[in-house]
Structures are given as C-alpha cells and as structure tokens.
Amino acid sequence: MTAADPLANMGVRLTAHGGEIRVWSEHAEKVELCLFDDKDANWIYKTVELARDRHGVWFGRTRELVPGRRYNLRVYGPQGPMHRFDPSRLLLDPYGKGIQRLSSGSQRSVVVDGSFDWAGVTKPNTPLDHTVIYEAHLKGLSELNPRIPEELRGTYAGLAHETTIGYLKNLGVTAVQLLPVQSFVSEQRLIKQGLRNYWGYNTLGFFSPHALYASKAAQAQGPGANLREFKGMVKLLHEAGIEVLLDVVYNHTAEEGPEGPTTSFRGIDNAGYYRQTSGGTYIDVTGCGNSINTATPAVSRMILDSLRFWANEVQVDGFRFDLAATLGRNADHYYDPQHPLLTQIVSDPLLQNVKMIAEPWDVGMGGWQTGNFPDGWSEWNDRYRDRMRKFWLRDIRSIREHGDPGDGVGMLATRLAGSSNTFAQHRGPLSSINFVTAHDGFTMADLTAYDSKHNVGNGESNRDGTDNNMSFNHGVEGPTSSRPIEASRRQAMRNLMGTLLLSAGVPLITAGDEFGRSQKGNNNAYCHDSELTWLSWDRRRWQKDHWKTTQHLLKLRRENPALRPVRFGIFGETTPSASQMDWYDVHGSSMSVYDWNSAENRTLQYMAASTPEHEEFNRILLVIHGVEAPVTVTLPVHLGVTSYTELWDSGNDSPNPEEGPTYEPGTVIEMAPSSLRLFRAN
C-alpha cells in the first residue's frame, strides 16, 4: 500500500513473513479474521483481530494464512436502517480467490496459490474487425459431447479438450464468450422450487472461478486446483488462437434483496456496497433484489481489481458486462456516460488491449443507454437485433397474413452498414456488437418456429421471459411434419445468419445457432440445467447443412475486408479502413428518396468497397430480397467493376464450396423468395 493508493493489495497477499489480509468497511467497528482447522472446516482454531486505517481498510497478518487455509470474516458494527452488521455470521472475503462450499451449505474463503506456468503462451490479441464472438455456456458446450472423456464433460477441461477447440476452430469463430464463470449460487426462490440457476447471473465472489465447473479431480484438490484448471483452459485456447471473454455480473450480488442470504457484502458494509435510500430501502435497478453502489470508491475499485485479476493473472481477453448501465449510475442513481468507473475501465493501464463490451441497459429509470457508453466500449446492439428480426420474420408474417409490408429496406440498410445512427461518427462500426439471438430469448431456430414463449417449465406460470420476440412460426406453432413450412423456417434461419455475418460491426453467434438448436420455445431457460439447454452433438442432415452454411459465411467474412470496416466513411472523403458504400435498387439504379422511404420496397443492392490500410483492396455486392416471391434483379453498372462472381446464395440448403458463376454488370438475375446473394465485384 502507498499513501497515494490506500485501496491497493486488498484481500489476501502471501509474503515471506506470512499472509496479509486487507478488507474495506467504512462503517464497521471491529473485524476479526477466523481461521479454520485443516481437517474440521467448522472449527475456528484461531481468531485474529484486524486493525483499521483512516481509509476504512482493516488489515492484519498471520503466518497461518497460507495456501489451502480456509477462513471467514466476522464483522461488528452499529445498528441502523442502512446497516446489517451481525457478528454471529461468518462472511466471505470480497477479494477471495477461492470459495469452498461445505455440505452444511456454509461457505469458506480459501487462500489460493496462484502460480502457473504459461510456458510463453500469450494472448491472441485478435483485432476487433476480425473478431467473431461465440457466446456459450461453459457446461452446456461439452456436456453431451461423446468424443470428450466423461469425467471432463461440462468442465473447464472439457472446453480445453482438443475436440472442443477443434470444433471452434473449424467453425471459424475467434473468441468464445462464456456465460458467468465467477463463483455463483442459485437464488433462494429457485432452490425452494427444486430448480437451479443454470446461467450463473448471481455472483457470490468476483475473484473466484465457479468450483462446480472444474473437473472432479480438481475439485478434490481444492480451489487452487480449480483456478489452475481454468488457467490451463485459457492457455490451450490461446495456443489455438481463440480468445476467452467472460460475461461478468458486477451490477448485483447473490445476496438478493434485504431478506436474502447474507454471505459477504451486506454483512461487511451494507451501507457502502448497495444502493439504498437513507431509510434502508434497496434501490433495485437490476431486477435481482439489489444493486451494487459504484458511487462508493472502494466498490468501484473492487470491480477494477477483479477485472485486473482475470485479465492479467488469468490472461482473459475481454469482458461482457451484464446490465452495464447500473455500473454507470452516480450517487443520485442516474446514469452518467462519463461515470469514473466506465472511463477507468477503458483507460486503466493494466487493462489495455482488453475487449470491453457493455450490455447497455438495466431495468431502472433511464436504463436504456444503447450508443451512450464512453469511447473504448463496444455495446450489444439491441436495435440491430430487433431490426433484423422484424425484416426477416415479423414483416414477412405481416405481408403473408395482411398484405402489409411493414417497413422497407431503409432501416435495415442502416443496421447492415454499422448503425451510424446509434454510434457516434468517431466511435465507428466496431462499437456495435451485432446479434440476432443471445442466451436470453429464443434460439434462432425457435424464432422461426414459435409465435409465443413456452416457459411453463420455469415455475412462473409462463409469466417470465419477454413477449416481444418478433418471431414467426411460419404457420404452425412448434415442430411440424410439413416440408414447405420446414423449408421456409430454414430459409429464414439462413437469412438471419447471413445478414448477421455479412454486416459491418462485430458479430455474436449464440452457441447452437450454427446448427439450428431448439429450446422447445422456452425463451428464458435460465433455470434448466438439462438437455434442453446443452448442445446436442447428434444432428440431422439439415442441421449439418446449416452448420456448413455458417462456416462458409465466416470464411467469406474473413476473406472480404469490405465486410469488416473499422471506421464510418464520410461522404465525399476517402477514410482509411472505412468501406465506401453504394446502394442500388432492383433495376440496378441508384436508390432514390422514394426507394429508401417506401414500405413496398424490400429489395436492395449493397455495394461495399474497402479502403485498405492492412489488407488488399476488396469489393462486394450483397443483394437482399425480403418478399416471399421471386424477383428479377439487374446487377448494377458500377465504375471499375467488370464482373460479379457469386459467393453465396441463401436460397440453397447447403453452400457451394466452390465459387459460383460470374456475371457481367447489367445482367438480369432471379432472386429466390426471401433470400440473400453475395458477390465479389471484380
């Protein structure tokens, strides 16, 4: 610790003179460190009273604070509406790198030796414009894979297995984004219902990997082995060139509402850690019972220290922040885009070149903040998600059932080109994390097969989960034996995946969408740890075809830099690494104002030419047709273009591994109903 940094070195630090511990509590009157016997985890054999400095940091040292030692904190303090001090409770260290759950349900912090041999393996540092994110559940990704040894399925080692890594490499993604793997527990309500929190958005400790995702062999050795297995996973993924991103939940904790369990923060300093009124009422902007108070400097520092731990000691490549708007709320609980924590996260010297991705909303007042995060952040683009679903699903349904075309191509084109109407000019298209589906909501297959959610199995009488799915079942709710309906659904899936992977911005694929995984219409499967949510490796012919389509699209994205602009272009100027975009109508003429604004116009030709800095010049033509009837399209006559080579047609069940035919400008081609075609402009 230095005078300039009073919050340095929190938690346990091992030294030549024994272990030191530092814990922050502004309002505590006394803090004790409780050490447990090696064999009896319920026997406190030694208690060390900690001293307090003027910054609210409690500290102490003992030679018995060594790797493997179980410990808790006992905190004494005043009574009052904002305080929950109770010295009868044994509390977890907020900075604890190991957590052990006892058979009684109690939890112990555990001192961990973090040493690990990285053998020279470093981070891939994939540029954002080359990044393709694969959002996956750590357990669900490998739990059913028969090619992985049974004892490793569903574990960190299972993700690190050569079969899993080979699958990701072969598909063509560059980063795996894991649903929460920081230590978590299930909510009390779920436990009473006999359910569990599968997704993990209920964090118990911000520095400890979730123990149940370690292999049984590692669990038997204790939290230190769990952390080593996690690091080994990261190392092997990095060796394969795959980045590891973590979905992190710093907006609330597993202590739930005021009547929830007290495991750490509430008992250490309730008034400091949680947003609440002076009368002690929790200000819940997360919908999870509590909200972390990032207006408290020590709390913001804890979040920064957690990020530093995972990014540096564990070598994680980036983070997706759940309900990130909560982190940007000030002392008055309003969102501030220049909140010190938000700006520190992207400017911290210890977090440089780490990808920072916001889920830019929460459920509080003024909670929707897409496009309003500071420079250096990327954001989940829900506007992109909604526009793509609307164009390819809800509008198609409206045309079929009512003859109402909904919207034309104008807003679709804006999203396709990087959402410049959402993200400031200087931030560029890579601020947008484009997605059509995510862990919450319908899978891509279910978007095409269900008009309504089917969440009865969640135990909330189908009340949970969104009703605004913008889905279209194509005539039958759920599974069907109708071949025409099945064909329409698969066509819609190819259109959604094609648009996602051919748009400017950073694409995110939800695990299983590459082969058409279904959750039987459940759009909020957070409490199902079962085959409903695990990835199946037994796939039908059409699923294998869809996987090949996804793989082919990812190959085309890699090979065509015009699809991956780094910057927004400026009309009349040549901007390096910003694709020059031209737009044509069905006749090959430049789009008119009427074409852009007409709801009837659902066919568009999009020409993008790269302005390269680091790659060869490239130009593509993407033809988009959003009506369930074929149409003839005249390929545009464009300066410098002598021919068009077909690269992909969504009207085909499976992609052609070879390049398709070549056409001259002015050629009339026929577009299949509701389809996309991609050409390289030569």
Side-chain angles (χ1 to χ4, degrees), residues 215 329 349 352 547 588 599 651:
S215 63
R329 291 184 179 271
Q352 294 307 294
W547 189 92

Side-chain angles (χ1 to χ4, degrees), residues 276-307:
Q276 52 188 306
T277 68
S278 58
T281 301
Y282 274 22
I283 298 171
D284 180 12
V285 298
T286 67
C288 301
N290 66 64
S291 302
I292 284 284
N293 188 3
T294 54
T296 302
V299 177
S300 284
R301 176 58 183 268
M302 178 187 68
I303 293 172
L304 273 175
D305 284 343
S306 174
L307 295 172

Side-chain angles (χ1 to χ4, degrees), residues 133-136 435-440 442-444 497 500 508-514 517:
I133 301 171
Y134 186 79
E135 187 198 41
F435 67 108
V436 174
T437 66
H439 61 276
D440 54 345
F442 280 149
T443 66
M444 191 174 286
M497 186 64 79
L500 173 64
L508 178 145
I509 300 171
T510 304
D513 279 353
E514 72 272 20
R517 181 179 74 92

Side-chain angles (χ1 to χ4, degrees), residues 253-494:
T253 77
E255 291 185 309
E256 304 182 37
E259 304 307 315
T262 296
T263 54
S264 180
F265 311 97
R266 180 178 290 131
I268 293 173
D269 197 326
N270 187 57
Y273 279 103
Y274 293 119
R275 294 186 180 274
Q276 52 188 306
T277 68
S278 58
T281 301
Y282 274 22
I283 298 171
D284 180 12
V285 298
T286 67
C288 301
N290 66 64
S291 302
I292 284 284
N293 188 3
T294 54
T296 302
V299 177
S300 284
R301 176 58 183 268
M302 178 187 68
I303 293 172
L304 273 175
D305 284 343
S306 174
L307 295 172
R308 291 166 174 170
F309 167 72
W310 292 102
N312 297 317
E313 291 191 40
V314 190
Q315 291 289 290
V316 162
D317 304 275
F319 304 92
R320 179 267 188 188
F321 294 77
D322 180 64
L323 300 182
T326 299
L327 306 187
R329 291 184 179 271
N330 59 25
D332 296 321
H333 315 299
Y334 291 104
Y335 176 78
D336 177 4
Q338 295 304 313
H339 190 288
L341 177 59
L342 297 184
T343 57
Q344 287 168 6
I345 285 173
V346 290
S347 63
D348 190 324
L350 298 177
L351 294 173
Q352 294 307 294
N353 300 316
V354 176
K355 294 176 172 67
M356 301 298 183
I357 302 169
E359 182 185 38
W361 53 78
D362 62 20
V363 302
M365 183 177 295
W368 187 77
Q369 295 293 335
T370 306
N372 293 331
F373 272 67
D375 295 356
W377 285 85
S378 295
E379 303 175 38
W380 272 29
N381 190 347
D382 54 323
R383 287 179 170 178
Y384 179 95
R385 174 200 64 198
D386 294 349
R387 179 56 51 183
M388 297 309 163
R389 290 186 182 190
K390 188 176 188 303
F391 186 85
W392 290 117
L393 297 171
R394 197 167 73 178
D395 286 356
I396 296 290
R397 173 183 178 178
S398 180
I399 295 169
R400 183 188 291 192
E401 296 179 355
H402 309 294
D404 178 3
D407 293 336
V409 294
M411 292 301 294
L412 177 86
T414 302
R415 299 298 163 203
L416 188 72
S419 297
S420 60
N421 62 342
T422 298
F423 300 98
Q425 176 74 29
H426 67 278
R427 293 186 64 191
L430 300 181
S431 297
S432 177
I433 303 296
N434 297 333
F435 67 108
V436 174
T437 66
H439 61 276
D440 54 345
F442 280 149
T443 66
M444 191 174 286
D446 286 354
L447 280 175
T448 72
Y450 294 90
D451 282 351
S452 304
K453 65 188 181 185
H454 295 262
N455 297 354
V456 173
N458 296 359
E460 298 183 52
S461 301
N462 211 40
R463 292 187 301 270
D464 64 306
T466 182
D467 293 310
N468 185 28
N469 296 292
M470 294 191 182
S471 58
F472 178 33
N473 67 18
H474 292 82
V476 173
E477 187 76 354
T480 180
S481 59
S482 168
R483 291 188 176 181
I485 291 176
E486 286 189 334
S488 294
R489 290 175 175 177
R490 294 168 193 169
Q491 175 76 46
M493 290 168 58
R494 291 193 295 273

